[in-house]
Amino acid sequence: MTTKTSGQFGFVEALLPQGLGRSGRLDRLSSLVKWYRFEKILARLRPPAGPGRPAYSSLVMFKALLLQSLYGLSDSELEEALADRLSFRRFVGLTLEETVPDHTTLNRYRNLLIEAGLLEKLFAELDHQLDRAGLILRRGTMLDATVIETAAAQPPGGAGQEASKAGDPEAGFTRRQGKPGSSYGYKAHVGVDQGSGLIRRVRTTAANVNDTVEADHLICGDEDAVLADAAYHTKARELSLKMRGIKPRLMRRANKHHPRLPARLKRFNRLIARQRFAVETTFATWKNRMRLRAIRYRGLAKAAGQILIAAMAFNMRRWVTLTT
């Protein structure tokens, strides 16, 4: 089985009018990223071949998954977009003469990346490149989490026995704060670099896992401060951060011993709230710009894979914005 080469545009492309098939943001992203470093990580993985077709290069497939996340596409929609949009072909490195990977091939490749544990290595490589570019500021890490409902299956206990069987046993229910009803799916926990807005840490759990459970995994250790709402505050975490030389900017809440916060803590909370509000733009971009409103796949590992790819796509998007 042979592997398709990428990035080698042929005679047909040479006849196109100048500028046709280009996208300013995608072209900018292509020039910023050291793709060969990702290619080295991906080299250990053999991409699946489509029916009667040679395998596509790992880099082509990885770039296709990034496009899928950037534009909020399903596997079928991604296949169609690669066939129709010249800018997409150019970005991933497919010539006009080449066929595009079909949706089942794209799905199998994503599963291979997840099973091989390569997404974490790819995320770490991107973090390294962003750091080398001088974009990670380390002034503080803002902690937050958001629930993403699952679209892959109905929740257990739905209408009838068949719906129950179709449920995702690794997803979870959670109440929506300040809203009636509940959500069923997964929760993305992130640590965002204050100032740059880049995601430095990301974890995925069932939606019913409390925000504070994953907090320590989101702290990098090289930041000046950690900023978070009151859900993340514990005496042990506050002390641990101080011992590591990190300022604990964790909001406080009233408790049975102190049912009313003193004025100084109210001012403290307002100051932190103003600073950490920027983390909300991360989730707004995910859900509104990148259309990450549903987990498309069943099971925690695949949900975590979808969210990790979204975090990489988001950081690449931010890279273009920060350097434009």
Side-chain angles (χ1 to χ4, degrees), residues 69 80 114 119 139 192 201 207 209 264 267 276 287:
S69 195
E80 291 177 8
I114 293 167
L119 288 176
R139 297 202 314 243
V192 176
R201 296 286 187 274
V209 173
R264 67 176 183 83
R267 289 194 299 270
R276 66 168 294 279
K287 294 182 178 182

Side-chain angles (χ1 to χ4, degrees), residues 25-240:
R25 293 184 70 87
L26 291 181
D27 285 349
R28 175 69 176 152
L29 179 57
S30 291
S31 67
L32 287 171
V33 178
K34 293 181 173 63
W35 295 105
Y36 72 89
R37 297 185 65 91
F38 291 102
E39 201 162 20
K40 287 181 179 179
I41 297 171
L42 294 165
R44 66 196 75 177
L45 192 67
R46 171 175 284 188
R53 305 173 182 173
Y56 297 86
S57 81
S58 277
L59 190 58
V60 165
M61 299 295 286
F62 175 58
K63 285 183 172 183
L65 296 182
L66 289 173
L67 284 177
Q68 177 180 39
S69 195
L70 279 169
Y71 293 91
L73 305 173
S74 68
D75 292 340
S76 296
E77 288 169 338
L78 176 59
E79 178 186 349
E80 291 177 8
L82 288 170
D84 294 341
R85 298 181 65 169
L86 295 178
S87 60
F88 276 31
R89 281 181 175 268
R90 184 178 186 86
F91 180 76
V92 302
L94 286 174
T95 68
L96 287 176
E97 292 90 350
E98 291 178 294
T99 57
V100 302
D102 61 32
H103 63 278
T104 57
T105 303
L106 291 161
N107 185 53
R108 288 202 304 271
Y109 183 72
R110 183 190 308 101
N111 291 340
L112 286 174
L113 279 177
I114 293 167
E115 291 164 8
L118 292 185
L119 288 176
E120 292 80 5
K121 292 181 175 63
L122 293 165
F123 183 84
E125 170 55 33
L126 178 57
D127 184 73
H128 174 73
Q129 291 193 34
L130 292 166
D131 195 18
R132 290 290 297 272
L135 298 178
I136 297 177
L137 304 179
R138 295 184 172 83
R139 297 202 314 243
T141 296
M142 303 179 291
L143 310 184
D144 211 343
T146 188
V147 172
I148 305 174
E149 294 187 318
T150 179
Q154 296 183 31
Q161 186 177 5
E162 291 306 312
S164 180
K165 288 179 181 178
D168 184 343
E170 294 184 289
F173 283 101
T174 188
R175 289 281 179 182
R176 293 176 290 185
Q177 192 172 20
K179 297 181 180 179
S182 61
S183 299
Y184 178 73
Y186 292 91
K187 185 178 286 187
H189 308 256
V190 299
V192 176
D193 185 52
Q194 186 184 14
S196 71
L198 294 164
I199 300 171
R200 297 197 64 198
R201 296 286 187 274
V202 59
R203 305 271 291 189
T204 302
T205 65
N208 58 348
V209 173
N210 193 286
D211 293 359
T212 192
V213 171
E214 294 295 325
D216 293 334
H217 297 292
L218 305 176
I219 298 167
C220 303
D222 58 5
E223 58 273 270
D224 292 335
V226 170
L227 301 91
D229 65 30
Y232 293 91
H233 179 265
T234 66
K235 290 287 187 182
R237 181 165 295 125
E238 183 181 357
L239 179 61
S240 173

